[in-house]
Amino acid sequence: MRRGYSFYAQLGLTVLLCLFIVVPIVMSALAGVTVNIFKGVSSGLTLRWIFEVWDLYAQSILLSLWLAVACLVVTTLAGVPLAYVLVRRPNRLTRMFEEILTLPVAIPGLALALALLITYGGFGSFRSSWVFILIGHVLFTLPFMVRSVAAVMSAMDMKTLEEGAASLGAGFWHRFLHVIVPNAMPGILAGALMVVTLSIGEFNLTWMLHTPLTKTLPVGLADSYASMRLEIGSAYTLIFFVLIMPLLIAMQMLARPGKKRHTASQLAEDE
């Protein structure tokens, strides 16, 4: 098939847009391994700035990873059952709860953080702990987990699956864990992808909630750009990409369709 002018015009526009996005990222990463950013690559390449970033901000980087994992665990344990209730028992009360659940997404992060500070800021030890930031991250990311899982649960015939499993003698929790959850796994993985990436990259809310001892990766990144050399800030950005990109690729591969799902008949065969 002969390709016309419009195809090549669209292709050229796509390439230009990709370059517009990718080139600044490459330049920033390159600056993180350049001896002197003002002289450019001609000044030589070095890993000095990366080691300095690790020495200065290792605790912040590790804390962000820990918060992301903890946030993922909490949102999964809370979000999957919540999504099940919202889909399985649709009524006025659950619809109202769903709207309330999505409020943290509509409210600016600074406003949400301010509300947490006003309500719980008086508890000294709690205010200065990483759990305080975790609560903010959970409130912000939980709607994404619930919506992702609920979308998948709404698309499958959950009532038929449960009735089939119940006719085989499976109790509620057995049905939920061995029939519903495996079939909802694409939504859980998609929600996990959003939760982890949002938690690691969240700045506005975390900036208000953090203390000098609970500084996270985005807050440390802003601090490095404001008070350090540009090379250190760029090296910090490079470390951020090195941490987040493999995680994104791995979770996207896990979220691909084609995973084997459990049905009531398979449950009978397992038993």
Side-chain angles (χ1 to χ4, degrees), residues 11 15 34 67 69 80-81 103 113 126 136 144 147 160 166 194 211 221 265:
L11 178 62
V15 172
T34 301
L67 280 171
V69 172
V80 176
L103 280 178
F126 177 58
F144 295 93
R147 284 296 180 92
T160 301
M194 287 188 285
T211 66
L221 179 60
S265 61

Side-chain angles (χ1 to χ4, degrees), residues 9 55 86 94 149 238 261:
D55 290 337
L86 292 176
T94 55
V149 178
L238 181 58
R261 299 182 182 183

